[in-house]
Amino acid sequence: MIAKPKGTNDLYGKEAKIWKYVEEVIDSVMEKYHYNYMRTPIFEASELFHRGIGEATDIVTKETYDFKDRGDRKMTLRPEGTAGIVRSFIEHKMYGDSLPVKVYYNGTMYRYERPQAGRERELTQFGMEVLGSNDPLSDAEIISVAVNIYKMLGLKNIKVELNSLGDKESRDNYREALVNYFKPQLKDLCEDCNERITKNPLRILDCKIDAEKDIMKNAPTTIEYLNEESQKRFNQVKEYLDILEVEYEVNPKIVRGLDYYNHTVFEIKVDTEGVSNLALGGGGRYNGLVKQLDGPDTACIGFATGLDRVIMALQAQNVKVPIKDYLDCFIMYVNEEEKKYAIYLSQELRMAGFICDTEYTERGLKAQFKQADRLNSKYLIILNSEDLNNGQLKIKNNKTKEEELIEVEYLIYYLDEHLTEQDSFQIDDLMQESCHCDDCCSDDHE
Ligand code: HAM
């Protein structure tokens, strides 16, 4: 048997319905905040990510899926969405449109990580970007939208951790402070960190090997090196967050694992019974990226959340998710003549807007009743040649078990009248278990 690649998932059944629901909630929130849906390719020229995310980041050095296409071009499966959006913004000269451009996306990303609960190799991110605004309002708003989405989905114990990396001057000062701090202690750091000190000292701070060492815990923080203007800007973001009633905590240790950030950076975490501090999403300001990728100087901010983790948190917090899992009617028949009418009628009903299904496996009538129950059918239409010859059919309410013989022409009115809005979804908390055990999901890192 050929198994799915490690760190990927098949989505089906109830879990697929939960995903669709989560995506619908996100779409509706995005509509209210006036963000437009955008889609960019799943693979891009490798150079985009090298220049965009940063040569010294773990994502680019250790985690990308790279390949050469048949024309010998170096390509990479996107590990995140921001670089592609920025590339498209420049390529289509969206900077000439009225700014800001507010967009959102939802798609698969690829990172060769060690698979475990909430960490996939094929992950799905929902993200949003505001391109062309340097107003601290955009920073505060994007954080509040993210929090509101989580709240709308029913998640509790959401924590926003906020920090500022400051402008170029502040970042340069901070970089120097980091080099001065780490240089005398390089022997206590891993091989990668010894390289990072010259390439990009900030990346030492998200080293997974040295993370727990005191030397990391006592490192200087960005906030200590903010110049006056950056500090003022950070204060404004906080003030706007207060107006929006977003609770947050300043965590000066947050630097984010991608190179493009300046000023505001943030992470949103959640506590659940099984996992505390699960990173649901993160983002920040990236005022230099458009220019760095050969576009005009454009201030931007964005955020992305892993939908795999959102679903995991919903499961862990036992949130009841309203999912549609029912039929308006199931059409039953026995002989060929009735079947032909079932074929015709099911199409008529579907085109009239009803959720309708029929028998496809030549089951007997008794088994068809069972099938209708399994599919949660509200009504059963039981076709019978004799009734049909009289222009009639039998309809049964599957809950009350009341049966009526009605005129065929009256069927659509009948269903319209009897199917109430209230019936249109059922609350269901039965979620599929996805397997994250160590036995069958153990890593195969070379
Ligand atoms: P990121 O922090 O690398 O940021 O990823 C954002 C979110 O994607 C994470 O918080 C996590 O929920 C999810 N995620 C990341 N890696 C995995 C994985 N291996 N498996 C499951 N989920 C994962 C970015 O990607 C930036 N592009 C965010 C951004 C947008 N910044 C500005 N605009």
Side-chain angles (χ1 to χ4, degrees):
M1 195 191 76
I2 301 168
K4 65 184 171 55
K6 283 199 164 66
T8 67
N9 283 304
D10 298 316
L11 185 62
Y12 62 97
K14 287 234 157 70
E15 198 171 358
K17 285 179 188 283
I18 293 162
W19 272 78
K20 293 300 279 181
Y21 166 74
V22 168
E23 286 169 350
E24 274 167 28
V25 170
I26 289 174
D27 282 344
S28 82
V29 175
M30 286 294 88
E31 194 181 13
K32 310 279 179 335
Y33 279 90
H34 199 231
Y35 281 71
N36 291 314
Y37 177 70
M38 185 162 168
R39 190 159 62 197
T40 59
I42 284 177
F43 64 92
E44 299 264 7
S46 302
E47 193 191 346
L48 174 68
F49 302 113
H50 284 253
R51 280 172 58 192
I53 297 171
E55 296 282 6
T57 57
D58 270 5
I59 295 183
V60 166
T61 52
K62 298 182 180 162
E63 296 171 6
T64 50
Y65 279 85
D66 301 310
F67 62 98
K68 273 190 179 172
D69 72 8
R70 288 172 195 272
D72 219 24
R73 299 171 199 91
K74 284 185 183 161
M75 295 290 166
T76 296
L77 295 183
R78 62 181 181 192
E80 58 100 57
T82 312
I85 296 282
V86 168
R87 195 260 316 131
S88 178
F89 175 81
I90 300 167
E91 192 166 340
H92 300 289
K93 298 188 173 57
M94 290 182 215
Y95 45 79
D97 301 348
S98 92
L99 295 177
V101 170
K102 290 167 56 172
V103 294
Y104 76 101
Y105 49 92
N106 173 13
T108 48
M109 314 286 158
Y110 300 84
R111 296 186 188 183
Y112 194 79
E113 291 201 80
R114 195 186 159 81
Q116 52 184 273
R119 188 173 293 155
E120 313 293 343
R121 288 184 177 166
E122 181 181 69
L123 55 130
T124 305
Q125 269 188 357
F126 150 73
M128 53 194 167
E129 314 289 345
V130 177
L131 303 110
S133 164
N134 197 27
D135 195 320
L137 160 64
S138 312
D139 307 41
E141 195 184 87
I142 220 154
I143 297 171
S144 71
V145 186
V147 170
N148 287 341
I149 287 173
Y150 296 135
K151 280 190 182 161
M152 293 271 292
L153 288 169
L155 285 174
K156 298 196 176 62
N157 305 330
I158 298 291
K159 298 185 288 192
V160 176
E161 295 185 2
L162 186 68
N163 193 20
S164 173
L165 304 178
D167 59 9
K168 187 171 179 323
E169 186 189 68
S170 312
R171 281 170 52 121
D172 286 349
N173 289 339
Y174 180 59
R175 184 190 159 104
E176 201 184 317
L178 276 183
V179 173
N180 291 338
Y181 172 78
F182 283 120
K183 227 170 189 169
Q185 317 186 66
L186 280 178
K187 59 177 185 336
D188 298 328
L189 295 176
C190 72
E191 214 174 289
D192 284 351
C193 284
N194 272 272
E195 268 186 40
R196 288 172 182 137
I197 191 97
T198 41
K199 279 193 189 158
N200 190 341
L202 204 74
R203 294 282 67 91
I204 296 178
L205 298 172
D206 38 57
C207 175
K208 285 169 190 131
I209 302 167
D210 295 327
E212 295 307 319
K213 292 186 178 161
D214 282 346
I215 177 176
M216 288 295 194
K217 290 178 188 155
N218 301 327
T221 61
T222 59
I223 295 228
E224 302 163 63
Y225 293 87
L226 293 184
N227 59 18
E228 209 183 316
E229 216 171 302
S230 300
Q231 185 64 59
K232 196 172 141 209
R233 193 179 189 290
F234 190 39
N235 288 340
Q236 266 178 313
V237 174
K238 292 192 274 182
E239 206 178 304
Y240 294 162
L241 280 172
D242 291 338
I243 296 173
L244 290 164
E245 296 179 341
V246 175
E247 284 176 30
Y248 58 85
E249 207 177 277
V250 173
N251 178 354
K253 298 273 180 209
I254 289 184
V255 290
R256 309 275 301 133
L258 306 97
D259 275 352
Y260 47 60
Y261 294 113
N262 56 9
H263 288 295
T264 310
V265 282
F266 61 97
E267 277 177 7
I268 305 187
K269 297 182 176 161
V270 68
D271 277 336
T272 63
E273 224 165 76
V275 202
S276 68
N277 269 340
L278 172 71
L280 271 185
R285 186 157 276 288
Y286 52 97
N287 287 354
L289 185 59
V290 178
K291 192 154 183 216
Q292 198 183 315
L293 294 174
D294 305 324
D297 216 353
T298 309
C300 308
I301 183 155
F303 158 81
T305 186
L307 289 188
D308 312 76
R309 292 195 190 170
V310 172
I311 306 280
M312 203 178 127
L314 287 169
Q315 271 174 312
Q317 291 193 353
N318 219 356
V319 177
K320 286 195 193 302
V321 178
I323 57 172
K324 284 185 182 172
D325 193 14
Y326 67 90
L327 291 178
D328 288 325
C329 53
F330 185 76
I331 304 176
M332 299 158 67
Y333 60 85
V334 178
N335 62 35
E336 186 63 19
E337 189 194 351
E338 293 159 7
K339 179 179 181 180
K340 283 179 183 155
Y341 194 73
I343 294 170
Y344 160 78
L345 189 60
S346 45
Q347 173 164 271
E348 287 290 294
L349 290 178
R350 287 159 177 165
M351 297 310 279
F354 297 103
I355 306 171
C356 170
D357 221 334
T358 188
E359 174 55 31
Y360 295 94
T361 61
E362 299 183 346
R363 266 178 281 236
L365 212 50
K366 203 171 156 197
Q368 288 184 47
F369 275 110
K370 279 198 184 136
Q371 174 70 348
D373 285 346
R374 268 194 295 268
L375 300 178
N376 266 333
S377 192
K378 292 175 194 164
Y379 282 87
L380 312 179
I381 295 171
I382 308 148
L383 299 181
N384 168 297
S385 303
E386 212 180 303
D387 295 340
L388 288 176
N389 288 339
N390 295 329
Q392 292 180 313
L393 48 77
K394 199 181 283 166
I395 185 155
K396 181 172 180 176
N397 182 320
N398 205 21
K399 201 170 174 186
T400 63
K401 306 295 175 201
E402 279 166 43
E403 243 180 51
E404 274 184 79
L405 197 61
I406 63 167
E407 300 300 310
V408 169
E409 301 97 86
Y410 183 56
L411 178 63
I412 286 180
Y413 300 102
Y414 183 94
L415 287 172
D416 257 340
E417 230 168 69
H418 288 75
L419 288 163
T420 58
E421 255 305 292
Q422 231 181 342
D423 289 333
S424 65
F425 65 75
Q426 296 180 349
I427 305 285
D428 201 324
D429 60 345
L430 211 169
M431 301 204 187
Q432 244 167 255
E433 280 288 309
S434 29
C435 182
H436 289 296
C437 71
D438 278 343
D439 296 340
C440 64
C441 304
S442 64
D443 189 42
D444 66 348
H445 261 277
E446 291 83 352

